[in-house]
Amino acid sequence: MRRTTSPFSLVLLGLGTFLLVLAPLLAWYVQPRAAVNPIDIDTTAVYTGRGSVFDTDRIETVPDRKITVTQRVRGNVADSERSGNAVWDVTTTVDTDKSLPAADPHDALDFTPHRWVMDRKTTRPVHCCGEKPYIEGEAYLKFPFDVQKRSYQWWDNTLGDTVVLRYRGTEKVQGYTGYKFTGSVPPTRTGTRMVPGTLVDQPNRPQVLAEEWYANHGFELIVDQATGRVLYAQTGPKRTLRAPGGTKDAAVLLDSRKISFTTETQKEAVRQAERDSGQLRLVGVTLPIGAAVAGFVLAVIGGVLVVRGRKEPEQPVPSDSSDMPQPTLTM
């Protein structure tokens, strides 16, 4: 008896070997390339809270007003493709019920357009493509992929500088667990503004180049660990005016202890985080493990079948004609 290799065992062995090679490729090659920031983003985040705002009609600060902050982020696909980076155009408006709804965002209490350019993989700022302002730090609008349990340098656009956000454990948003980070900003001079002297306790001067000061009672961000998406954001801005060289606030432009994501914004952020992190987990964990296990099983089965082979009876070998008895010739 002799053994032969069946085509089926070779197929199993080849398929198992292929899956064993595919598993690390998915985890170490495909998954990192899937974790990139999009260039066609189009999202809107809405914050609400209560606080004091400066009423330009009454020329005074009024307390306990509802404040709505709307942040629209749209990707500039053309500039992104040309540069190879993610180019996001951002507009932030601050409104009270008096200015909502507004046909023109310039009618808002405050309107700030800017452009953020970042590396699609690391989320680090890239200084090109008409970036404005000059953004620095490790995170802004979102954290990098694979968020770590450490402090991060977060860009505060109102401050014009970075703020240290410290890791504070985990917390759930709409039933979804994220990493919590907090930080604050002490009173800091951020610029100057020409205003009537009466606003900064100098009634004898018609115009004064007042100092603009900014502080933040506290940031609180809850972030998806896999994607870096912000699931919940809370901020406590305080913007004031001081007389030139003054040591105390003379006028309050905006002051709120807490302005935070609306429930609708939280739900949408969680929905997108679940979808995107699920896709990364599928490519980086589920499929590689499944491919490795299936590949090992198939390779073992195929190898065993190849070794064992299939027994077939040996065919008799015909003997030489010289050994055959010759017929007798008779007359």
Side-chain angles (χ1 to χ4, degrees):
M1 304 290 285
R2 64 187 180 91
R3 300 178 184 275
T4 61
T5 302
S6 68
F8 179 68
S9 62
L10 293 176
V11 169
L12 289 181
L13 181 60
L15 182 58
T17 303
F18 170 76
L19 291 176
L20 287 174
V21 173
L22 179 64
L25 284 177
L26 288 171
W28 301 333
Y29 184 83
V30 177
Q31 193 272 347
R33 283 158 178 75
V36 294
N37 293 300
I39 62 175
D40 58 348
I41 187 173
D42 189 349
T43 65
T44 300
V46 180
Y47 303 66
T48 58
R50 303 194 72 84
S52 301
V53 298
F54 189 81
D55 190 315
T56 55
D57 292 334
R58 297 168 57 176
I59 317 297
E60 63 179 358
T61 301
V62 293
D64 195 30
R65 291 293 187 268
K66 181 180 179 181
I67 300 170
T68 301
V69 178
T70 306
Q71 193 171 65
R72 178 81 180 272
V73 182
R74 301 186 68 179
N76 189 308
V77 177
D79 286 355
S80 297
E81 290 178 341
R82 277 194 294 268
S83 67
N85 302 300
V87 181
W88 291 2
D89 291 319
V90 187
T91 57
T92 303
T93 58
V94 180
D95 290 279
T96 62
D97 287 342
K98 181 179 178 180
S99 59
L100 281 177
D104 187 344
H106 293 82
D107 296 334
L109 184 68
D110 187 68
F111 171 73
T112 308
H114 52 287
R115 169 170 283 196
W116 182 31
V117 185
M118 72 182 121
D119 184 282
R120 297 189 65 191
K121 295 180 181 179
T122 66
T123 314
R124 288 276 188 172
V126 178
H127 307 299
C128 74
C129 316
E131 172 210 26
K132 185 179 180 181
Y134 190 93
I135 295 175
E136 298 178 296
E138 300 174 279
Y140 174 53
L141 302 181
K142 74 176 294 292
F143 277 61
F145 292 93
D146 190 25
V147 180
Q148 304 298 304
K149 297 178 180 180
R150 63 172 180 84
S151 297
Y152 281 84
Q153 294 287 336
W154 175 268
W155 174 260
D156 183 341
N157 203 54
T158 304
L159 178 64
D161 202 350
T162 58
V163 179
V164 177
L165 296 185
R166 293 177 171 83
Y167 175 73
R168 301 298 186 186
T170 62
E171 193 164 316
K172 288 190 175 182
V173 178
Q174 302 297 322
Y176 188 85
T177 302
Y179 284 4
K180 180 178 177 180
F181 295 86
T182 63
S184 61
V185 178
T188 306
R189 179 179 170 176
T190 56
T192 57
R193 178 185 298 193
M194 189 66 71
V195 299
T198 54
L199 284 183
V200 290
D201 301 327
Q202 295 189 357
N204 296 327
R205 300 177 62 183
Q207 295 288 321
V208 175
L209 190 62
E211 298 178 358
E212 292 188 68
W213 284 71
Y214 166 74
N216 200 296
H217 298 292
F219 291 99
E220 180 179 318
L221 300 177
I222 302 176
V223 183
D224 178 42
Q225 189 276 330
T227 65
R229 180 181 294 277
V230 176
L231 308 172
Y232 173 83
Q234 175 183 315
T235 182
K238 182 177 182 180
R239 297 171 56 190
T240 60
L241 294 177
R242 295 184 184 183
T247 58
K248 64 178 183 179
D249 297 331
V252 175
L253 302 179
L254 174 68
D255 187 12
S256 176
R257 303 290 303 188
K258 177 183 177 181
I259 303 175
S260 61
F261 272 5
T262 63
T263 301
E264 292 74 15
T265 297
Q266 294 176 41
K267 289 181 177 179
E268 177 61 17
V270 168
R271 184 192 68 80
Q272 294 186 26
E274 287 181 323
R275 179 198 64 194
D276 295 344
S277 61
Q279 292 174 349
L280 292 177
R281 187 166 52 251
L282 177 67
V283 175
V285 178
T286 306
L287 288 179
I289 292 176
V293 172
F296 176 77
V297 171
L298 292 176
V300 169
I301 294 174
V304 170
L305 292 177
V306 167
V307 171
R308 293 180 60 184
R310 183 178 61 188
K311 294 182 179 180
E312 291 184 353
E314 295 186 4
Q315 298 295 328
V317 179
S319 56
D320 195 318
S321 59
S322 60
D323 296 331
M324 297 292 289
Q326 300 296 321
T328 302
L329 182 62
T330 59
M331 295 294 295

